[in-house]
Amino acid sequence: MAVTRRRSKGAAEQVAERAENKLYPIKHYVRIIIIISISALILDLIISFATIAIVKQQSARDLRDTAYLYINRINGDFSYINHFMGWTLANDDNVNIMNTHELNDTEFIKANDMLFRRFVELQKSYDRNYNFFLFFSEKDIMLNVAPMGLTYKEFQELKGQMDTYMDKSVGYDPFYSRWSTVQLDGTFYILNVFLYHGNYMICLIAADDLIEPLRQINLGEKGYASLWTEDGSLVTSPMSNNGKPAHIEQDRYAWLMPFQTRTTVKGEFDNASFFVRLVIQFGAFEKIMIAQLLIMLMAVIVACSLSFIMLYFRNKVLQPIKSFSYNLAFWTEDGEPIDIASNNIAELEKANKQFTGLVQQIKTYKIDIYEREIEKQRIQLDYMKLQIKPHFFLNCLTTIHSMAQMDMTEEIQQMAMSTSIYFRYIFQNGQDFVRMEDEIEHVRIYLEIQKNRYRDAFLYRIEGAEQVPDLPIPPLVLQTFIENAIKYAVSRDQKSLITLILKRRRIGGEIATVIRITDTGPGFPSHVLEKLRQRLPLDQTHGTRIGIMNTIQRLESLYGGRAAVRFRNRAGGGAGVTLYLPELPAHPSETGGQPNASIARR
C-alpha cells in the first residue's frame, strides 16, 4: 500500500514538472512580442501626448504670468497718466494762462515751458515713447507739451482727426478717458483724450513701442507678440521675436490646439479697446511631434517585420530544423536521450538533444585522431634521430680511417678519445632538448676532431655561448650545420674560417635566440639555395643533405612551426645559416601549428 502511494506521488510530481517545463512553438513567443510592442507603443503615445500637454500648459502659464505682469504695469501707467492729464486740465494754472493769452505772449511762452518740463519729468518716470499734446478748441491750436516722436505729417493728421472729433456728428466719446487705437500715416498708435472746458489733453504712444517689452520674451523662433483690436484687427507690425517677418493669423481651428505645436496666450488691458496676444512656437514641440511620428512608423515597421519573420521562420527555419532533428536521430549510439538545459522551444529542444550527441561523438573521434597523430609524430621524430646517429657515426669512422692511412698514431689516439666522448654524448642523450652549454661542448669536440683530420686547414670561433649556458636546444642541431660547413667549405688549398655566434634578441614582441653559422667556403649552389629559401625538399637520392632536411623537420616538429632557418650566401664568399629559436612554452602541447610570422619573415 505504501509502495502504491509513493508511486502515485511520483507520478503527480512528474505531471507537475511537465506542466512547469511545458514547451511552446516560436510563433507563441512572436505573438507575445507583438502584443508587448503594441502595448508599449500605446503607452508611449499616451505619455508623450500627456508630456506635450503639460509642457504647453506650463509654458502658457509662465507666459500668461509674464504678460499679466506687464499688462498690470501698463494698466498702472495708464491709470496714473489719466489722472495726471485730468488734474492738469482742471487744476494747472499754466493751462489757464495759455488759454487766456495769445501764442506769442510772454506769459503764454513761460506757461508752455513750465508745462513742458512737468511732462518731461513724467516721461522720465514712465516711458519716453509717450507723446503728450494740448489742444485749444477755441483757438484751434495743438501743441506738444513733451518731446514728440511723431513726424510732421503724423502730427498734422492727429490735429485733423481732433478737428473731426469735435464735430457734433462724430463726437469724441470712443476716445474720452479710454485707451483706443488710431492710425496716423499708416502707423497705429494708442490714443487717450481728456476734455475740460473746451481744452483737450492728448496722450499718444506707438503700438509697436507699447508692445516692445513683450517682444523681448523668448517665444521661440517663430513666436511673436501682437496687439489686436476688439473687432479682430492687427495694430502692430507682423514681426517675430527674432526680428524676422512673422505669419500672423487668428486661431481659426481651436479644436486642433491639442495637436498643434504652438500655444496662444491672450491678455486684456483695463479701460482699453485692444488686447495683447502672445504666440509661443518652440521647436521642442515640433521635435516631439516628429519623434512621435517616427516612433509610430518604427512600431508599424517592427510589427510588419515580426509578422514577416514569423512566416519566414516557420517556412525556412522550423521545417529544416525538424528535418535536421529527424536525421540526427540516427546518429546517436543507442538512442538514449541526452540531458541538457531546456530552452522552452519545442523544435530546437529536440534538435539540441540530437546535436549534442553528435558533438560528443565528434569530440571522441577528434581525440582519438589527435592521439594517433601525436604518436605518429613521436615515431617520426625518433626515426629522424636514429637516422642522424648512423650518419655521424659513418663520418667519424671515415675520418679515423683516413688518419690511419696516414699513420697518424698520436692523432688517432686523440681522435679515438674525442670520438668516444662524442658518441657517448649521442648515445646517452635520448631527450628532445639539452642544455646549450652541452651542445656547444659537443660542437667543440667535433671541430677538434675535424682539425686533427685536416691538419689545421681551418679555424673556428665561437662567440656568445657564455650568455646562454642553460638555454634548451634540440641536440645535434648545431653539429649538423657545422658538419655541412666542414664538408663544403674546408679544403687543403686555402685556410677557412668557421664562425658560430649566439645572441638573444627581441623579435616581434618575444625573446628569441639567434644563432649564426658562417664559413668562408664557396657557398651554396644557386639551385640548392633557391630550394632552401622556398622551403622545398632537397634531392636525397644519393644520401646527401639528409642531415639538413632532418634538422629542419625536427625544428618544425619540436617548436610547432615557430622556429625558422634562413640560408644565404655571403657577399665576400661563403655560406651563412641563421637559426631563430623562440622561447619554449611551459608545456610542449602549447606550441601552435602555424609559424610565427615575425620570426619566419626574417
Side-chain angles (χ1 to χ4, degrees):
M1 185 67 177
V3 175
T4 305
R5 290 179 179 176
R6 283 195 297 269
R7 290 179 179 177
S8 300
K9 184 177 180 181
E13 291 178 351
Q14 291 179 358
V15 171
E17 184 177 357
R18 290 177 182 176
E20 183 180 357
N21 298 328
K22 185 178 179 181
L23 303 178
Y24 298 95
I26 291 180
K27 59 183 180 181
H28 171 77
Y29 297 98
V30 174
R31 289 171 185 164
I32 294 177
I33 293 175
I34 293 176
I35 293 174
I36 294 175
S37 301
I38 295 176
S39 302
L41 173 64
I42 295 174
L43 181 61
D44 177 74
L45 290 176
I46 294 174
I47 294 175
S48 299
F49 280 115
T51 303
I52 293 174
I54 293 173
V55 173
K56 289 178 67 176
Q57 291 176 3
Q58 184 65 38
S59 300
R61 187 181 301 110
D62 294 341
L63 285 175
R64 188 178 296 110
D65 293 341
T66 303
Y68 285 164
L69 288 175
Y70 174 75
I71 291 172
N72 291 334
R73 184 179 70 83
I74 295 299
N75 286 331
D77 294 347
F78 282 173
S79 177
Y80 183 83
I81 290 173
N82 287 342
H83 175 75
F84 188 86
M85 289 193 302
W87 186 90
T88 301
L89 279 177
N91 301 296
D92 197 322
D93 293 336
N94 294 311
V95 175
N96 295 328
I97 294 172
M98 294 174 65
N99 194 28
T100 57
H101 290 78
E102 294 300 328
L103 184 64
N104 295 326
D105 292 345
T106 302
E107 290 79 2
F108 185 95
I109 295 175
K110 289 182 179 180
N112 187 20
D113 184 63
M114 293 295 295
L115 195 63
F116 192 89
R117 292 180 181 178
R118 289 188 59 194
F119 277 94
V120 168
E121 293 297 326
L122 181 65
Q123 283 184 329
K124 291 181 180 179
S125 301
Y126 291 91
D127 195 337
R128 294 182 182 274
N129 293 317
Y130 284 101
N131 300 274
F132 296 95
F133 302 91
L134 185 60
F135 182 78
F136 300 99
S137 58
E138 294 180 358
K139 297 180 179 182
D140 193 23
I141 298 175
M142 190 174 73
L143 302 173
N144 63 304
V145 292
M148 183 178 64
L150 276 68
T151 63
Y152 181 75
K153 185 176 181 180
E154 291 174 343
F155 178 79
Q156 291 295 327
E157 285 192 11
L158 177 62
K159 185 177 181 304
Q161 290 194 21
M162 290 304 301
D163 292 336
T164 304
Y165 295 153
M166 288 186 298
D167 190 353
K168 297 292 185 180
S169 61
V170 176
Y172 60 88
D173 292 340
F175 305 98
Y176 178 72
S177 299
R178 177 176 171 84
W179 294 87
S180 304
T181 59
V182 63
Q183 189 173 13
L184 302 176
D185 193 23
T187 302
F188 282 95
Y189 286 87
I190 306 301
L191 175 70
N192 195 3
V193 180
F194 269 83
L195 171 64
Y196 184 77
H197 294 306
N199 298 327
Y200 295 85
M201 182 65 71
I202 304 166
C203 181
L204 195 71
I205 184 172
D208 286 332
D209 293 337
L210 184 66
I211 204 175
E212 182 63 26
L214 287 178
R215 287 179 173 173
Q216 304 302 322
I217 303 174
N218 183 17
L219 302 176
E221 183 178 359
K222 298 180 181 179
Y224 60 89
S226 57
L227 284 180
W228 297 77
T229 60
E230 293 176 345
D231 59 357
S233 299
L234 179 66
V235 297
T236 53
S237 57
M239 183 178 296
S240 63
N241 281 33
N242 58 7
K244 299 180 180 179
H247 179 69
I248 300 177
E249 61 180 7
Q250 290 278 25
D251 293 326
R252 300 176 182 177
Y253 307 100
W255 61 276
L256 288 176
M257 287 300 294
F259 303 96
Q260 293 181 355
T261 60
R262 67 178 187 174
T263 302
T264 303
V265 177
K266 180 180 179 182
E268 297 183 354
F269 297 95
D270 294 338
N271 196 24
S273 62
F274 52 88
F275 63 90
V276 65
R277 180 168 166 235
L278 303 178
V279 176
I280 177 174
Q281 188 83 17
F282 287 131
F285 295 146
E286 299 177 357
K287 293 178 181 178
I288 293 175
M289 296 301 296
I290 293 174
Q292 294 304 315
L293 294 177
L294 291 177
I295 290 174
M296 294 179 63
L297 180 61
M298 290 183 63
V300 172
I301 293 175
V302 169
C304 295
S305 301
L306 288 176
S307 301
F308 175 77
I309 290 173
M310 183 177 66
L311 295 175
Y312 180 85
F313 206 80
R314 184 182 63 182
N315 297 330
K316 300 296 183 179
V317 179
L318 295 183
Q319 293 298 333
I321 287 179
K322 291 180 180 179
S323 301
F324 177 70
S325 175
Y326 177 77
N327 293 331
L328 287 179
F330 296 97
W331 289 19
T332 57
E333 295 180 354
D334 51 5
E336 292 294 330
I338 303 173
D339 294 332
I340 59 173
S342 176
N343 52 25
N344 294 330
I345 297 179
E347 294 83 1
L348 293 180
E349 184 75 13
K350 185 177 180 181
N352 283 337
K353 290 181 179 181
Q354 304 300 332
F355 186 75
T356 303
L358 177 62
V359 169
Q360 293 296 331
Q361 294 185 35
I362 292 175
K363 288 182 178 179
T364 302
Y365 296 150
K366 288 181 66 176
I367 291 173
D368 184 61
I369 294 173
Y370 182 75
E371 291 178 349
R372 292 180 182 178
E373 185 66 24
I374 291 178
E375 183 65 23
K376 179 180 178 181
Q377 292 181 2
R378 175 62 60 183
I379 294 173
Q380 185 176 6
L381 182 60
D382 293 340
Y383 170 76
M384 286 188 290
K385 287 184 178 180
L386 292 175
Q387 191 177 23
I388 290 173
K389 292 173 183 176
H391 178 69
F392 289 119
F393 179 70
L394 293 175
N395 284 343
C396 290
L397 290 180
T398 302
T399 301
I400 294 174
H401 178 266
S402 299
M403 295 175 69
Q405 287 180 339
M406 292 183 290
D407 197 17
M408 301 169 61
T409 305
E410 184 178 352
E411 288 79 358
I412 290 175
Q413 293 178 1
Q414 184 177 356
M415 180 68 175
M417 182 60 65
S418 298
T419 303
S420 174
I421 298 173
Y422 175 81
F423 281 104
R424 184 180 296 109
Y425 174 81
I426 292 178
F427 294 140
Q428 292 181 356
N429 193 354
Q431 53 191 358
D432 294 333
F433 293 91
V434 297
R435 295 172 66 250
M436 180 66 77
E437 184 179 19
D438 297 336
E439 182 70 9
I440 293 297
E441 183 61 25
H442 176 70
V443 169
R444 291 182 191 274
I445 293 174
Y446 174 77
L447 289 171
E448 290 297 331
I449 292 174
Q450 296 297 346
K451 285 190 68 176
N452 290 332
R453 175 186 174 189
Y454 288 100
R455 289 290 181 179
D456 299 327
F458 71 92
L459 298 174
Y460 70 88
R461 186 173 74 251
I462 300 176
E463 299 179 1
E466 67 280 357
Q467 299 179 4
V468 287
D470 297 324
L471 187 73
I473 184 175
L476 308 180
V477 169
L478 302 182
Q479 192 267 343
T480 300
F481 295 104
I482 293 294
E483 179 188 358
N484 189 72
I486 293 293
K487 182 176 181 181
Y488 294 102
V490 176
S491 66
R492 300 186 187 275
D493 298 334
Q494 59 181 359
K495 206 167 190 177
S496 301
L497 174 64
I498 299 175
T499 305
L500 173 61
I501 302 175
L502 295 89
K503 292 183 178 180
R504 298 279 287 170
R505 289 176 52 190
R506 179 175 293 277
I507 302 176
E510 65 176 353
I511 299 297
T513 303
V514 181
I515 304 174
R516 289 187 174 89
I517 302 172
T518 60
D519 61 60
T520 57
F524 294 105
S526 58
H527 66 282
V528 173
L529 182 61
E530 186 65 24
K531 286 187 175 182
L532 290 174
R533 286 178 173 176
Q534 296 182 9
R535 304 174 66 87
L536 298 176
L538 300 177
D539 183 14
Q540 302 179 11
T541 55
H542 300 289
T544 58
R545 304 185 183 93
I546 296 177
I548 293 178
M549 299 308 298
N550 282 347
T551 301
I552 294 175
Q553 293 178 18
R554 288 178 62 204
L555 292 176
E556 289 181 354
S557 177
L558 292 173
Y559 287 93
R562 296 169 58 239
V565 182
R566 187 177 68 178
F567 301 89
R568 64 185 177 90
N569 283 331
R570 301 172 63 214
V577 180
T578 304
L579 285 77
Y580 299 92
L581 304 181
E583 293 286 344
L584 288 174
H587 302 283
S589 59
E590 296 180 11
T591 58
Q594 297 296 330
N596 185 280
S598 60
I599 294 179
R601 192 182 301 116
R602 293 170 175 79

